[in-house]
Structures are given as C-alpha cells and as structure tokens.
Amino acid sequence: MSLEMQQVFKKTEGLTDKITHYCPGCTHGIIHRMVAEVLEEMDVLEETIGVASVGCSVLSYEYFNCDMTQAPHGRAPAVATGIKRVLPDRMVFTYQGDGDLASIGMGEIIHAAARGENITVIFINNAIYGMTGGQMAPTTLVGQKTTTTPDGRMANKQGSPIRMSEMLATLDSVAYIERVSTHDIKHLRSTKKAIQRAFETQKRELGFSMVEVLSTCPTNWGYDPVESLEWVKENMVPVYPLGVFKQMQGVE
Ligand SMILES: Cc1ncc(C[n+]2csc(CCOP(=O)(O)OP(=O)(O)O)c2C)c(N)n1
Ligand code: SF4
C-alpha cells in the first residue's frame, strides 16, 4: 500500500525565510503573517512596496517578501505618500507601532489621512514603546506601569490614552478605518478580513485606509504569552473598542 502525502499547511510566499527577532508570544509575527497572506492571496506581492518604521518592527523589511523600504521615526506615511504618488499602480503600505505612529509620527499620519492618500496603514497598538525598553506610548493605559512610568500612567500628569482610529475617522478624506485584535482565533480571523478590506480599498483607489491591531508585548508587560492575550482582552479592548470607525461608500 502506498502512502500518499498531502500538504495541509504551508508558509505564505509573502514572507521570506528569515527567522524573525520578535520575542516569544509577541503578536507582531502573526500580524506579519496575515498581511503577507493577504498580499499573496490578492496576487500583488510583485507590485507591493512596504514601508517599515522604527520600533520593534524596524526589521520588517527583511521579513516581507515584497519590495520594502524603511522610514525614520514616524515618517512612514510621508515616504509612502511619495512612493504612491510616483508609482500609483503599486500597492503601498506602512507597518507602524504606536510609538512610531501616535507619538513621534503623529503629524505625518494625521496629514496623510487628511489628504486621503491612497495608501494602507497597518497600525500596531501594544500600548507601549516596545523597542526602547518599554517607555510610555500615547496609547499606554491609565494606571499601566512602564519602565519610564513606574507609578503607572496618571491622566493628570501624562494625559489620557489617544484613540487614533476614532480621531482619524473624523477626517473627511479617510476611506476605511477599523480596529481589530489578536487575542483569540475569532479575532484573528476578523483581523485578516480587515487587512483584506484595507488593501481592497487601496486597489479600488478609494483613499486612505488603516487597520489598528491590538497586539501584545509580553516582554515589557511582564506577562507570559497566554496572560498577555488575556490582558489585551480584559484591559485593552474596553479602552480601545473594536469595530469599523469609517467606511466610505464603495469599501467592501
Ligand atoms: C521620546 C522618544 N523619541 C524617539 C524615540 C525613538 N524610537 C525608538 S523605538 C520608536 C518607535 C517605538 O516603537 P513602537 O512604535 O511603540 O513599536 P513597538 O516597538 O512597540 O513594536 C521610536 C520613535 C524614543 N525611543 N523615544
Ligand atoms: S519587546 Fe514587545 S513588541 Fe518588541 S518584539 Fe518583544 S514582545 Fe514584541
């Protein structure tokens, strides 16, 4: 009797073979995978240009199997704007953490969204500036302790967390914004759908699209990977409600 081997799982063509440097339990890796799968499924890997930012995902240009470049501190939306305007038939995306997008790059993201640039932003919100030893980010929760806020974030001293999706959704030229989460399988499925919708929005030339993904940072939170997922569900989702904040007509 001959045994027939059947392949039931394979790595997406959208990622290179490079082993990532992310900490165990960090959801950056699974979000990379979903972005890569969507690009592969849409058959646009050959025409995609991604812009890596700073933070833990700075090396994402080594992991995505498409053309990639890297932009310094928060400037990814500006660099993506330039690329898309010169090469409008390319799929252009940025991959940015919350320190990059909501702190040092706040100006760039607001103006790219206000201009309705036809780019897709993958925004990773892990409530912390992961790379530089876990300092506070604009998304750090009230009461959440970080290495630079050992007493916990205090609204009267450091202000309250910024909800980027809600804020950017007020801009007329924004086509699509959704916030999703990585804390369980059901939400991972919704995350992939949102990423698909964002790239479809760009393909249809409808304008600016962004997916905010609630993500983990076990290393700087001081929890193990499973506890970290639980922490996202229990603590982040109530402050950062999931859902679609803007969906222009024509976005499907
Ligand atoms: C006040 C300040 N300005 C600039 C930097 C430089 N810097 C290092 S990492 C980073 C981005 C932060 O990463 P984040 O976007 O939070 O992604 P993560 O590392 O959490 O994945 C920046 C802006 C810094 N650490 N602190
Ligand atoms: S420090 Fe945090 S965000 Fe950075 S790779 Fe490790 S777990 Fe992920």
Side-chain angles (χ1 to χ4, degrees):
M1 197 174 78
S2 70
L3 269 183
E4 247 183 65
M5 299 291 276
Q6 198 191 349
Q7 188 167 35
V8 290
F9 181 81
K10 91 173 179 41
K11 202 174 137 280
T12 168
E13 296 291 317
L15 291 176
T16 64
D17 288 333
K18 184 107 185 168
I19 292 172
T20 71
H21 69 291
Y22 299 119
C23 308
C26 175
T27 43
H28 262 308
I30 196 157
I31 302 164
H32 277 31
R33 187 188 159 103
M34 287 187 287
V35 171
E37 280 179 352
V38 168
L39 294 173
E40 185 190 14
E41 285 158 14
M42 288 177 76
D43 199 19
V44 293
L45 278 170
E46 291 291 317
E47 63 208 58
T48 298
I49 303 174
V51 187
S53 53
V54 292
C56 289
S57 57
V58 63
L59 295 179
S60 62
Y61 54 76
E62 297 201 328
Y63 307 145
F64 287 111
N65 200 12
C66 57
D67 283 341
M68 292 290 294
T69 185
Q70 195 270 340
H73 307 80
R75 313 298 176 248
V79 171
T81 296
I83 294 171
K84 185 73 184 183
R85 287 190 178 203
V86 173
L87 300 168
D89 56 340
R90 302 301 172 96
M91 192 67 100
V92 178
F93 77 96
T94 70
Y95 188 100
Q96 302 176 259
D98 43 10
D100 184 89
L101 179 141
S103 179
I104 204 156
M106 179 64 103
E108 275 71 15
I109 192 68
I110 289 186
H111 290 286
R115 294 190 306 268
E117 298 295 342
N118 193 32
I119 58 171
T120 297
V121 172
I122 308 295
F123 167 40
I124 312 304
N125 178 359
N126 59 12
I128 211 140
Y129 256 74
M131 189 189 228
T132 34
Q135 68 191 82
M136 184 171 64
T139 45
T140 300
L141 308 185
V142 171
Q144 184 182 353
K145 292 187 175 161
T146 75
T147 47
T148 53
T149 43
D151 294 332
R153 182 185 196 124
M154 288 174 271
N156 63 347
K157 287 209 173 125
Q158 292 97 14
S160 39
I162 299 178
R163 296 185 182 87
M164 291 304 300
S165 288
E166 285 87 333
M167 202 165 83
L168 295 178
T170 65
L171 299 168
D172 292 344
S173 320
V174 166
Y176 170 64
I177 294 190
E178 181 165 354
R179 183 184 291 121
V180 289
S181 176
T182 49
H183 65 267
D184 62 21
I185 300 293
K186 179 178 156 220
H187 288 89
L188 286 175
R189 285 185 196 278
S190 315
T191 299
K192 186 162 170 196
K193 281 209 182 89
I195 294 170
Q196 259 158 355
R197 208 170 293 135
F199 281 115
E200 279 296 333
T201 300
Q202 183 180 162
K203 202 173 169 188
R204 288 166 195 218
E205 299 182 12
L206 294 169
F208 183 88
S209 54
M210 183 175 93
V211 183
E212 174 176 347
V213 190
L214 302 186
S215 182
T216 62
C217 181
T219 302
N220 286 305
W221 293 353
Y223 302 128
D224 71 28
V226 175
E227 287 167 346
S228 296
L229 294 172
E230 203 51 34
W231 198 85
V232 170
K233 181 177 159 193
E234 299 298 325
N235 296 281
M236 287 186 77
V237 174
V239 177
Y240 297 111
L242 308 181
V244 176
F245 293 94
K246 182 81 185 280
Q247 185 163 350
M248 224 180 226
Q249 214 179 357
V251 174
E252 281 171 22

